[in-house]
Amino acid sequence: MNGICFLWLFWFSICHADSSVYREADRNQVDSPVLKYLLDPIHEVIITQRGANVTLPCILRRKPRSYKVKWSKINPVDPLESLIIISNGQHHKNYDKLKGRTRLRRSHRLDASLVITNVSLEDEGRYRCELVNGLEDQSLVLMLQLEGVVFPYQSADGRYKYTYAEARQVCEVHDGRLATYTQLYQAWTDGLDWCNAGWILDGTVRYPVIIPRGPCGGDLPPGIRSYGPKDKTKDRFDAFCFTSALKGRVYYVHGPMNYNEAAEACLARQAVMAKVGHLYAAWKFSGLDQCDGGWLLDGSVRFPITEPRDHCGGLPDPGVRSFGFPHKQQRLYGVFCYTQV
């Protein structure tokens, strides 16, 4: 009987010990903090201009024994991210169309920040810095935002002539890209009031209204009107383009001259006729103010006003005024020239 009791006590002690060890391990798993290798950024939105150099910060708290840092750009319409650069702390490899304009800053041994040189309009967007470290992968996301200006663009043949693809192309031709909703919203808060609907980058069709009126949504309050998503291949609208600061300058040459004479006047000065995006950028960032219509490369005639006054378009707010697309043989206007020097 004593032997049976001894065996029973021995078995109980083993089971009890196993149970205690198991619970202790489980408690440790719950309570133990996960090592955090990446510092949270002070600013999640980095603002810059076209042509500038910018740094997207990514700093390690500590270096794991074995790891890789991967930078990628997040495409909102594509689940696959675009790889930019991968580094193991010693060597790196560049990818994508940013190749040649990106590098890791490496100002100290825990620095994995991304440097982008000569920022372009297409560089705007969300970027991910990811620490690849086996089961402890961590990442942070930063938004690169460009200061710029949105301008509506309408065909010389009248309004609503562009499919989505054509709208993207026409913005690029005129030194811009299709505006994002955020850019259009910012332009609206800055005073853009436009009653014609246009494509934006996400494939929706919208227009900004500051002063409600009959043809522009009636008595609805001010805001961004929306037509919702449309058929990108069949439906036709105008375009809302976005541009940023430019290298070089835009200046005015007095006329009168027709379109061909205007082109020759710019060439004689080692310049070219300005694009619409050039004129908007010069108005926005250089304060270009000219109360005279001038030819642009697309055949339109416009003029920029930073200080509204009598006989300069008749509108109380700053902006770029338009005479539309006059016949190119008319000798009534000067020309806006653009030079990169």
Side-chain angles (χ1 to χ4, degrees):
M1 184 67 177
N2 290 337
I4 293 174
C5 289
F6 175 79
L7 289 174
W8 182 85
L9 289 170
F10 179 75
W11 175 83
F12 178 83
S13 66
I14 291 176
C15 293
H16 182 73
D18 286 346
S19 179
S20 297
V21 170
Y22 177 78
R23 287 198 300 269
E24 184 69 19
D26 182 66
R27 186 168 65 250
N28 287 341
Q29 289 178 6
V30 171
D31 295 341
S32 60
V34 176
L35 288 176
K36 192 167 185 179
Y37 288 100
L38 297 179
L39 283 174
D40 293 329
I42 297 176
H43 302 290
E44 295 182 351
V45 178
I46 311 298
I47 300 176
T48 188
Q49 294 181 353
R50 179 172 55 175
N53 299 336
V54 67
T55 299
L56 304 182
C58 185
I59 307 297
L60 280 62
R61 293 175 181 267
R62 57 181 64 84
K63 292 181 69 172
R65 287 186 178 181
S66 176
Y67 73 96
K68 291 181 180 178
V69 170
K70 179 174 71 173
W71 275 98
S72 57
K73 187 176 183 185
I74 302 172
N75 187 338
V77 297
D78 187 346
L80 297 177
E81 298 181 7
S82 300
L83 273 176
I84 298 174
I85 193 168
I86 293 180
S87 172
N88 63 2
Q90 299 292 330
H91 308 284
H92 70 274
K93 183 175 181 180
N94 289 75
Y95 296 83
D96 200 53
K97 61 184 179 182
L98 290 175
K99 188 174 182 180
R101 293 196 294 117
T102 59
R103 61 179 175 84
L104 295 184
R105 184 173 61 177
R106 290 179 175 172
S107 61
H108 52 81
R109 62 191 181 91
L110 297 177
D111 187 10
S113 303
L114 181 71
V115 176
I116 304 176
T117 61
N118 192 22
V119 171
S120 70
L121 296 177
E122 291 73 23
D123 292 342
E124 181 169 274
R126 297 168 67 219
Y127 291 78
R128 186 190 307 278
C129 175
E130 183 176 4
L131 179 73
V132 182
N133 182 33
L135 298 177
E136 298 177 330
D137 295 357
Q138 297 172 10
S139 67
L140 58 85
V141 175
L142 299 168
M143 178 69 188
L144 180 62
Q145 193 174 97
L146 271 66
E147 291 182 329
V149 58
V150 171
F151 61 94
Y153 194 84
Q154 188 176 100
S155 169
D157 297 324
R159 71 174 190 164
Y160 298 171
K161 299 297 182 181
Y162 301 123
T163 64
Y164 176 78
E166 291 167 344
R168 292 193 67 161
Q169 183 179 21
V170 79
C171 287
E172 293 171 2
V173 166
H174 298 297
D175 192 53
R177 61 171 299 188
L178 272 181
T180 65
Y181 177 79
T182 300
Q183 291 163 348
L184 184 63
Y185 185 89
Q186 180 63 52
W188 170 71
T189 64
D190 290 340
L192 181 60
D193 183 288
W194 196 258
C195 204
N196 292 332
W199 293 104
I200 62 174
L201 188 60
D202 64 6
T204 60
V205 176
R206 305 173 187 264
Y207 62 99
V209 173
I210 296 239
I211 303 174
R213 50 205 185 273
C216 305
D219 294 330
L220 291 174
I224 307 293
R225 311 280 192 253
S226 175
Y227 281 21
K230 307 297 289 187
D231 190 317
K232 293 182 179 180
T233 60
K234 296 180 180 179
D235 292 324
R236 294 177 178 274
F237 295 94
D238 294 341
F240 285 105
C241 306
F242 172 83
T243 192
S244 185
L246 52 82
K247 291 185 176 179
R249 66 187 184 95
V250 173
Y251 59 92
Y252 183 76
V253 178
H254 286 274
M257 59 186 85
N258 62 32
Y259 180 84
N260 290 335
E261 293 169 340
E264 293 172 359
C266 291
L267 289 175
R269 293 164 172 80
Q270 288 76 53
V272 295
M273 296 178 76
K275 298 179 179 181
V276 177
H278 292 156
L279 187 64
Y280 271 88
W283 165 72
K284 176 73 174 182
F285 294 100
S286 302
L288 184 61
D289 185 288
Q290 183 69 46
C291 195
D292 301 280
W295 291 102
L296 297 176
L297 184 61
D298 67 339
S300 65
V301 173
R302 307 173 193 250
F303 60 100
I305 296 298
T306 58
E307 297 182 7
R309 52 202 184 274
D310 293 339
H311 310 298
C312 290
L315 296 177
D317 301 312
V320 175
R321 318 285 193 243
S322 175
F323 286 124
F325 294 84
H327 194 284
K328 290 185 176 181
Q329 293 304 315
Q330 287 189 10
R331 300 185 75 252
L332 297 175
Y333 311 105
V335 61
F336 288 100
C337 301
Y338 167 69
T339 177
Q340 292 185 342
V341 180

